[in-house]
Amino acid sequence: MRLIRLLKYDLAREAGDWVDDGVISEAQAELICARYEVDYHRARQRSMGYNVLVGLGYLFIALALITLIGANWEEIPRALRMGGLVALTVATQCVALRIYFTGDPRRGEGLFLLGNFFFGASIILIAQIYHLGEYMLDGVFWWALGCLPFALITRSPWLAIQAQVLALLWFFLQVSMGYYPALFPLFIAASLYVLLRGRASTVLMLLLLVSIGFWVEYTLSEFWRSQQPWVGLKLYPENLAVAVALFILLYVFSHWLALRGASVAKDYATVISVWCLRFALVSLLVFSFAFPWEELIEAQWEHRLSMWLVVAAMAAATLVLALPTRRLISSGLLLVFFVGALITVSTRGDPDLAVYLQVATNFVLISCGIWLIYRGIHDGISHYFFLGVMSILITALLRYIDLIGDYLGATLIFILFAGLLLGAAKYWKHHQGGEEMS
């Protein structure tokens, strides 16, 4: 997967500058953009800044009206308050519908966002009128639910993002109070529908994946909690195991998604792959110390059977997706390391094993750094190259901090890393011939 897909709109605008400077013809610029399935002429007119400014303008209109109403709230008769709030919300949404279906969908979406803000403000203020503050969770839920119809009608990613953010807020409020958010999958399904049928949106895609991850983890946590006396909100060590298995599955899924023909699928695959890779490196850096392993070894693993069933199901799905991507060996090795570490920490109570797991993690981290440097040089992807270099340098720094006092060990580690970096530089010079990387 080429990371340039993340910058394809910038590439289109850059190609426009090349056309203006006479470097390439307009037909060549169109061919370059067509390679990444971008409309050259529309991309030049695309203005993210304009959309952000318009969105912020609508937001401040909503805040101004809410502030004005709030300042004179007590002087307004109750019936007039109710009628005014309802009329303001309904009028805004009706105007948005009219504008949306009469040829200006983007402006209509902005008014829908404004109307949804008015709807939320109406819920809050009406709750204040009737002293319903103790039902705040229900208010957030109805606010999120009220945003859904307009997101589904317009299939607008921005409206779906608004609804999903509110749904996540409701989810966390429910969880913090010890309740299970049973209707949260409704919002996940709605966001998935908009993602599949509406315009492409990387933000909505990432928000959807985050929502699914939180829902899966809390569902398992709720299932495990139901087998015990009331303990309130609790996360178990098994949740960490499931999270790692989920990220491995997601990483392989990104490579499977990259094989799809649609350009949008390739764009999503690139984003998912990059973020999974970053998560993996950060996790390895954390577990390159001994104390996280000690905590896991000493933890109470009380739900091994159900945990292993979930992990086995995810591992099976990972291997199935790895077959067409030709990543069966690398995925298998990753799963073997993960399963081996999981067996060690969940079945053995010897804290001394933490040192061996720490050493193994450091070797894996260095191997990942070497692999990223190789991929960066071999495939000409600078992001992978510098990510690999940074992972090795940070590992060296952490090990130096960890080994203060053991100067001989720190010296040997620095010599090893110096050899790796100098070898990578020589390999780069040999294979790239001094050419700039993409």
Side-chain angles (χ1 to χ4, degrees):
M1 287 176 285
R2 303 292 296 184
L3 298 182
I4 197 173
R5 302 198 68 88
L6 302 180
L7 306 171
K8 61 183 183 180
Y9 291 106
D10 295 317
L11 175 63
R13 287 191 287 271
E14 189 70 19
D17 294 337
W18 297 340
V19 172
D20 295 338
D21 294 340
V23 177
I24 60 176
S25 66
E26 188 172 53
Q28 290 173 320
E30 292 173 351
L31 287 173
I32 292 172
C33 294
R35 179 179 179 85
Y36 298 97
E37 299 185 33
V38 178
D39 189 318
Y40 166 71
H41 300 284
R42 288 187 62 186
R44 292 203 69 184
Q45 299 172 357
R46 177 187 173 104
S47 177
M48 183 65 178
Y50 171 80
N51 293 331
V52 170
L53 290 175
V54 170
L56 290 175
Y58 282 131
L59 174 61
F60 280 107
I61 290 173
L63 292 174
L65 286 174
I66 292 170
T67 303
L68 181 63
I69 294 172
N72 302 280
W73 190 245
E74 296 300 329
E75 289 76 21
I76 303 173
R78 179 177 293 186
L80 185 58
R81 294 185 224 171
M82 284 283 297
L85 290 171
V86 173
L88 179 63
T89 302
V90 173
T92 305
Q93 300 293 32
C94 288
V95 172
L97 280 170
R98 182 176 178 276
I99 292 176
Y100 182 85
F101 288 108
T102 54
D104 195 354
R106 294 299 178 91
R107 187 166 166 233
E109 289 175 17
L111 285 174
F112 279 128
L113 288 170
L114 181 62
N116 288 338
F117 280 119
F118 287 155
F119 178 63
S122 299
I123 291 175
I124 295 169
L125 293 174
I126 290 172
Q128 182 182 349
I129 292 174
Y130 293 100
H131 307 289
L132 302 176
E134 63 269 24
Y135 301 107
M136 183 183 66
L137 296 181
D138 293 340
V140 176
F141 169 76
W142 288 110
W143 187 4
L145 191 63
C147 298
L148 272 190
F150 302 107
L152 295 175
I153 290 171
T154 62
R155 290 180 288 188
S156 165
W158 289 109
L159 293 175
I161 289 170
Q162 185 184 36
Q164 193 63 39
V165 168
L166 291 170
L168 272 173
L169 176 61
W170 170 70
F171 174 89
F172 289 121
L173 288 172
Q174 286 279 93
V175 167
S176 65
M177 299 292 290
Y179 300 114
Y180 180 73
L183 291 178
F184 190 67
L186 173 66
F187 297 97
I188 292 177
S191 295
L192 180 61
Y193 171 79
V194 174
L195 193 66
L196 294 176
R197 301 297 299 274
R199 301 190 309 273
S201 173
T202 301
V203 176
L204 180 59
M205 183 268 296
L206 291 175
L207 192 61
L208 178 62
L209 292 178
V210 169
S211 300
I212 293 173
F214 278 122
W215 177 70
V216 168
E217 289 286 8
Y218 186 71
T219 299
L220 288 171
S221 179
E222 185 73 8
F223 171 73
W224 292 326
R225 190 185 72 171
S226 66
Q227 302 173 16
Q228 298 175 342
W230 174 259
V231 292
L233 175 62
K234 182 179 179 180
L235 292 177
Y236 300 87
E238 291 88 349
N239 285 113
L240 178 61
V242 172
V244 174
L246 189 60
F247 266 92
I248 294 174
L249 172 60
L250 196 59
Y251 180 72
V252 176
F253 170 74
S254 70
H255 289 278
W256 176 86
L257 194 62
L259 299 178
R260 306 304 97 191
S263 175
V264 173
K266 297 181 186 296
D267 295 341
Y268 289 162
T270 302
V271 174
I272 294 171
S273 175
V274 167
W275 281 104
C276 285
L277 188 59
R278 291 169 180 171
F279 168 82
L281 289 176
V282 171
S283 300
L284 288 172
L285 286 170
V286 171
F287 283 94
S288 66
F289 292 91
F291 69 87
W293 292 111
E294 293 171 355
E295 292 293 327
L296 287 176
I297 291 172
E298 295 173 356
Q300 299 296 320
W301 297 78
E302 302 172 351
H303 312 284
R304 292 191 186 93
L305 178 59
S306 53
M307 178 199 71
W308 279 116
L309 289 175
V310 175
V311 169
M314 291 183 178
T318 299
L319 294 176
V320 169
L321 292 177
L323 280 172
T325 63
R326 297 180 181 178
R327 295 182 180 276
L328 188 60
I329 295 177
S330 58
S331 302
L333 291 174
L334 190 60
L335 287 171
V336 165
F337 174 76
F338 164 61
V339 171
L342 188 57
I343 291 173
T344 303
V345 299
S346 63
T347 60
R348 298 174 179 269
D350 186 3
D352 294 336
L353 292 173
V355 176
Y356 298 101
L357 289 170
Q358 177 192 13
V359 172
T361 305
N362 277 276
F363 275 113
V364 171
L365 186 56
I366 295 171
S367 300
C368 288
I370 295 172
W371 174 78
L372 285 169
I373 292 173
Y374 169 78
R375 282 287 309 277
I377 296 173
H378 186 268
D379 297 339
I381 303 175
S382 58
H383 176 78
Y384 284 166
F385 175 81
F386 289 111
L387 196 61
V389 171
M390 285 300 298
S391 65
I392 290 179
L393 291 178
I394 293 174
T395 303
L397 176 63
L398 293 178
R399 295 290 66 78
Y400 176 75
I401 296 172
D402 200 26
L403 294 172
I404 287 178
D406 188 352
Y407 295 106
L408 179 60
T411 301
L412 292 175
I413 288 176
F414 285 148
I415 291 175
L416 173 62
F417 288 161
L420 290 174
L421 294 174
L422 291 174
K426 185 176 181 180
Y427 184 86
W428 186 358
K429 181 179 179 180
H430 176 71
H431 285 271
Q432 295 296 106
E435 296 181 0
E436 291 294 328
M437 297 174 66
S438 66

